[in-house]
Amino acid sequence: MSRAIAVLRPEPGNRVTAAAIEARGRTAIRMPLFEVKPLAWEAPDVAGFDALILTSANALRHGGAGLAALHRLPVYAVGEATAEAALRSGFGVRLVSDEGAAALIARAEAAGVRHALHLAGRERTLETGGIIAEVIAVYASERRTPDEVARLAGSIALVQSARSGAWLAELADAQGLDRSRIALVAVSTAAAAAAGPGWQRIIVPGVANEALIEAAIALAD
């Protein structure tokens, strides 16, 4: 019998990923561990920047009216989902990396970027330094405690951020779940490390949502 796959990312991505899993005939546990909310912010003068760094589509979903002032900046994005959201928001996408934020920064620098603006979450991994001239938080991810944490027992859990991995570990331990019966499919080595040891298995197939789903289905079967 195929194991259930727990989708932990916030909405609206949670239902998109869960629907893709269910379309493949598998069972998805819809369990967002965070709720994303917009923050108040002001767009800076774009004259001081030569690129816009985006590591999450949430910056575009929750950026609001201030995004329009930045349309002249070429976007360097992590993941196709972020790139597609940028295009829908009126931006031009110069480069997309499926290897995470560090790889994106390296490729952007190699392409000639020197003074990038990074629109990010309040909780983030990239800060100012190097080619990143300024970071502005436009959204926040608030932790939530699902009622159905016990359903994670025996599942395959998709871990799509380091914060998600750490919070999953706390919730599983608080519920008394056996980590050795839960397998993780993580978006990065950082996300896997944040979840800690003791899990049945941890796979890091890449940042693309499709790669995570394929790896989870392979484990579930």
Side-chain angles (χ1 to χ4, degrees):
M1 183 176 179
S2 182
R3 297 166 68 178
I5 300 172
V7 184
L8 310 179
R9 67 190 305 194
E11 295 291 4
N14 190 286
R15 59 177 172 268
V16 172
T17 299
I21 291 168
E22 291 163 350
R24 298 282 298 275
R26 302 329 193 266
T27 299
I29 302 172
R30 304 186 183 207
M31 192 181 299
L33 297 188
F34 296 89
E35 181 180 358
V36 182
K37 300 178 180 179
L39 297 175
W41 67 287
E42 293 185 5
D45 183 354
V46 294
F49 307 99
D50 57 5
L52 180 61
I53 300 292
L54 298 174
T55 58
S56 171
N58 283 323
L60 298 153
R61 296 187 186 110
H62 301 281
L67 294 174
L70 306 177
H71 279 163
R72 61 175 285 190
L73 295 176
V75 166
Y76 291 73
V78 170
E80 290 295 337
T82 304
E84 290 170 6
L87 291 171
R88 290 194 299 270
S89 297
F91 289 93
V93 177
R94 182 73 54 82
L95 188 150
V96 182
S97 172
D98 285 330
E99 299 174 353
L104 175 69
I105 295 303
R107 291 182 63 187
E109 185 172 14
V113 173
R114 294 296 178 266
H115 302 284
L117 171 65
H118 178 33
L119 295 188
R122 184 182 62 197
E123 301 79 16
R124 56 186 179 268
T125 56
L126 295 179
E127 298 293 350
T128 55
I131 67 168
I132 301 178
E134 184 174 353
V135 180
I136 299 178
V138 300
Y139 68 92
S141 298
E142 304 286 354
R143 295 199 310 185
R144 60 184 299 271
T145 303
D147 295 330
E148 65 274 23
V149 174
R151 294 185 64 197
L152 291 171
S155 72
I156 311 296
L158 299 183
V159 181
Q160 292 181 266
S161 70
R163 291 185 71 225
S164 180
W167 186 222
L168 168 65
E170 287 190 43
L171 291 171
D173 291 347
Q175 189 71 29
L177 299 181
D178 182 357
R179 292 193 186 193
S180 69
R181 295 186 59 240
I182 302 171
L184 306 185
V185 176
V187 71
S188 65
T189 54
W199 305 97
Q200 182 183 54
R201 189 175 180 184
I202 301 179
I203 293 178
V204 184
V207 302
N209 197 44
E210 295 78 8
L212 294 174
I213 291 172
E214 289 295 335
I217 288 174
L219 280 179
D221 291 345

